[in-house]
Amino acid sequence: MSRLHVVTGKGGTGKTTVAAALALALAEEGRRVLLVEVEGRQGIAQLFETEALPYEERRIATGPGGGGELHALAVDAERALLDYLQMFYKLGGAGRALKKLGAIDFATTIAPGVRDVLLTGKVCEAVRRRDRRGRFVYDAVVLDAPPTGRITRFLAVNDEVAGLARVGPIHNQAQAVMRVIKSAETAVHLVTLLEEMPVQETVDGVAELRAAGLPVGRVFVNMTRPAVLDRASVQAAGESRAELARSLSRAGLGGARRGGRAEQLVEPLLRQAHEHAERVALEGELRAEITALGLPAYELEFLAEGTDLPGVCRLAGDLREQGVSR
């Protein structure tokens, strides 16, 4: 069975970007990788600067020397249901008729869990798929999953379905999906920022996943910035304001005498330095909370120029250097 990497995180933490960077890092190691999205946002297409992804697996990148390949798929619940009907009930034509009648929309609306069953089922099918030689088609599948607040229900929905449908193909399919999701080849990774709310949601998410018996993988700390000053450095600078003013003056920022331009810059500069030092101290406390989870943690830098394809490639390189593909 292929490795399944499920990537989740609080909204705004950049989970789609991290999922893309992880998938690309694995492909650059010579693996054949499938990157899947299930929320209908076409985030993968935007990051890789390609046209909207259809409901088919499409190659979007190649590793160095052609040794690895990255494919992408945007799963659509409606098409996944048609696949399901054809696979288990051989209802190809009848399934298309149901689509025209609106029965598919009706089914996914009246029973919202059905949608998640279809989405996870399609992902797990890709994980289990073999080629004609009996080898797994993909070495790894990376899923850009729903946010942390919904991830446990999303992944565990097949347990509920298996309990409701005691026998038959629906029961068997739900059990097969849960065997994949709860296997040693699956890991649920959480993306966070060094901010209080995302870290708290990550801590809560890990607890929920563990309570549900789902395999927790790594924590990706996204958009980190280098620490320039700490509290001690700011305090030392504040105790030598005159020297700081002279340093600013030597840098060509005006006079250091009282009322001079350089001297006037000292107070706002110290204020900003103090705010930065406080931020560094808070981030240290948040890192300690993440460390206490007992999970491997990887840090990704803040991309000042914004997230685009070169940025994703840069983050993938950072992950490779940190050994994420091992």
Side-chain angles (χ1 to χ4, degrees):
M1 187 168 66
S2 309
R3 287 279 296 169
L4 174 59
H5 299 271
V6 180
V7 181
T8 184
K10 178 177 170 57
T13 58
K15 70 176 179 65
T16 298
T17 300
V18 173
L22 173 61
L24 188 57
L26 295 172
E28 288 176 346
E29 291 287 345
R31 296 175 175 86
R32 197 166 192 264
V33 183
L34 177 64
L35 175 59
V36 184
E37 67 172 35
V38 293
E39 295 183 278
R41 295 186 293 106
Q42 288 292 337
I44 295 172
Q46 294 174 33
L47 284 174
F48 285 88
E49 300 172 5
T50 185
E51 60 187 29
L53 296 174
Y55 184 67
E56 63 182 38
E57 292 154 31
R58 173 180 293 176
R59 187 173 66 183
I60 58 173
T62 304
E69 293 182 352
L70 176 57
H71 295 248
L73 170 67
V75 180
D76 174 78
E78 185 176 85
R79 293 289 299 275
L81 178 55
L82 294 179
D83 281 354
Y84 181 87
L85 293 173
Q86 174 61 24
M87 184 181 302
F88 292 102
Y89 298 99
K90 308 302 179 186
L91 295 179
R96 288 189 289 274
L98 286 173
K99 177 181 177 181
K100 292 179 180 179
L101 291 172
I104 294 172
D105 289 337
F106 176 76
T108 56
T109 300
I110 200 169
V114 170
R115 181 180 181 85
D116 291 347
V117 168
L118 296 170
L119 298 177
T120 54
K122 181 62 179 177
V123 172
C124 290
E125 182 278 324
V127 170
R128 298 193 304 261
R129 193 189 312 153
R130 296 176 183 268
D131 61 19
R132 293 179 179 177
R133 301 180 186 176
R135 300 176 302 185
F136 289 109
V137 173
Y138 294 106
D139 298 303
V141 175
V142 179
L143 171 60
D144 177 20
T148 316
R150 206 164 74 79
I151 188 62
T152 301
R153 178 67 187 274
F154 174 78
L155 294 176
V157 69
N158 285 277
D159 261 345
E160 297 180 21
V161 172
L164 292 173
R166 301 280 181 180
V167 294
I170 294 177
H171 173 82
N172 296 336
Q173 168 71 357
Q175 283 198 321
V177 170
M178 289 313 301
R179 281 196 295 271
V180 171
I181 291 176
K182 290 188 173 182
S183 77
E185 295 301 307
T186 295
V188 184
H189 311 303
L190 296 96
V191 181
T192 188
L193 306 178
L194 288 176
E195 297 175 3
E196 292 173 284
M197 287 186 64
V199 169
Q200 186 58 55
E201 188 161 317
T202 298
V203 172
D204 294 342
V206 169
E208 284 186 15
L209 289 165
R210 285 172 169 166
L214 295 168
V216 185
R218 305 157 175 159
V219 175
F220 293 94
V221 185
N222 198 20
M223 304 185 206
T224 61
R225 301 171 187 260
V228 180
L229 296 169
D230 56 19
R231 285 171 174 167
S233 300
V234 174
Q235 182 177 356
E239 293 172 354
S240 57
R241 293 171 180 253
E243 178 56 35
L244 180 56
R246 287 192 290 271
S247 296
L248 292 172
S249 180
R250 287 194 293 271
L253 297 176
R257 65 186 183 281
R258 186 175 182 80
R261 178 64 177 269
E263 194 272 341
Q264 292 177 11
L265 291 174
V266 169
E267 190 59 36
L269 184 61
L270 286 174
R271 186 163 55 249
Q272 289 187 8
H274 177 75
E275 291 173 358
H276 174 79
E278 290 298 315
R279 178 67 198 170
V280 169
L282 174 61
E283 289 180 352
E285 296 171 4
L286 295 173
R287 278 192 175 92
E289 289 188 44
I290 293 170
T291 300
L293 293 171
L295 299 171
Y298 300 85
E299 296 201 1
L300 292 167
E301 63 183 306
F302 173 74
L303 299 175
E305 63 277 13
T307 305
D308 53 10
L309 183 54
V312 173
C313 293
R314 183 170 166 181
L315 296 179
D318 290 345
L319 289 176
R320 288 181 64 194
E321 287 180 6
Q322 294 179 64
V324 75
S325 57
R326 290 196 290 270

